[in-house]
Amino acid sequence: MDTTKMKRIKQVGIFIIFDIIAILITYLIAVLMFKVINLPVDTAEMTYVLPFIIIFKIMVFAIFGMYNMLVNHIGFEDVIKISVATAFTNVSIVVFLWLTDMDFMYKSTYFFITIAEIFLITIPRVANRIVLYLKINWDWNKALGRRTLIIGAGSAGE
């Protein structure tokens, strides 16, 4: 297998790991939020269901093409794709919870979870572009030095 293909497989694997961590963080924040305001959360049932939720989300993300994005050229359309895929998975989970009467978490929590997941899943993909933008601007500002206005091309300009 050539090195380009291996690098691509490694990059996809890293994004899958980042996505799993982002999903876990959003659910952990939701549970902590419920604990702070003293609302009941069935953490035993959630630990049973959460691996299936993660697998479902990763599969839907793959179907939506989130692991085929070119990270160095990610754009607004890709962020929209991430948002739609995340919203679709969470709406599907809420419908499933409604149909099966599972009560490990309030359905309204998925509004918060959707926003947090969109943010946490987008950050690793956009981070390279942000770092590159900051680096270019930093180098450009250092190279500029002190701004000067030159008037005329003759002896006044010298």
Side-chain angles (χ1 to χ4, degrees):
M1 197 177 288
D2 61 355
T3 57
T4 306
K5 199 169 201 172
M6 286 300 292
K7 284 174 76 174
R8 183 70 187 139
I9 290 171
K10 182 180 175 184
Q11 183 183 30
V12 169
I14 289 170
F15 280 129
I16 289 173
I17 290 169
F18 275 129
D19 292 348
I20 291 170
I21 291 169
I23 293 165
L24 289 172
I25 287 172
T26 56
Y27 278 85
L28 179 65
I29 291 171
V31 168
L32 291 175
M33 183 177 63
F34 284 132
K35 296 286 184 188
V36 167
I37 58 177
N38 293 325
L39 289 175
V41 177
D42 190 355
T43 54
E45 188 175 6
M46 189 166 75
T47 55
Y48 172 73
V49 174
L50 195 56
F52 295 107
I53 290 174
I54 291 172
I55 292 169
F56 169 70
K57 285 179 180 261
I58 298 298
M59 287 177 18
V60 171
F61 292 168
I63 291 169
F64 270 78
M66 285 175 47
Y67 301 117
N68 296 332
M69 295 177 187
L70 298 174
V71 180
N72 293 336
H73 304 288
I74 193 165
F76 183 72
E77 297 85 10
D78 297 320
V79 174
I80 294 296
K81 187 185 293 187
I82 292 169
S83 301
V84 169
T86 304
F88 174 77
T89 58
N90 287 329
V91 167
S92 300
I93 291 169
V94 168
V95 168
F96 178 78
L97 292 176
W98 177 66
L99 291 174
T100 60
D101 290 331
M102 294 181 93
D103 289 331
F104 67 88
M105 189 175 292
Y106 293 103
K107 293 165 193 69
S108 59
T109 308
Y110 280 91
F111 179 74
F112 164 76
I113 288 175
T114 302
I115 294 170
E117 279 182 359
I118 289 170
F119 179 74
L120 290 175
I121 290 173
T122 303
I123 289 296
R125 289 165 172 84
V126 179
N128 190 31
R129 295 275 311 257
I130 293 171
V131 168
L132 187 63
Y133 173 79
L134 293 174
K135 182 181 176 202
I136 288 171
N137 282 339
W138 176 263
D139 291 343
W140 181 254
N141 287 337
K142 279 186 1 186
L144 283 179
R146 196 168 159 179
R147 294 180 178 241
T148 310
L149 176 64
I150 299 176
I151 302 172
S155 61
E158 289 180 21

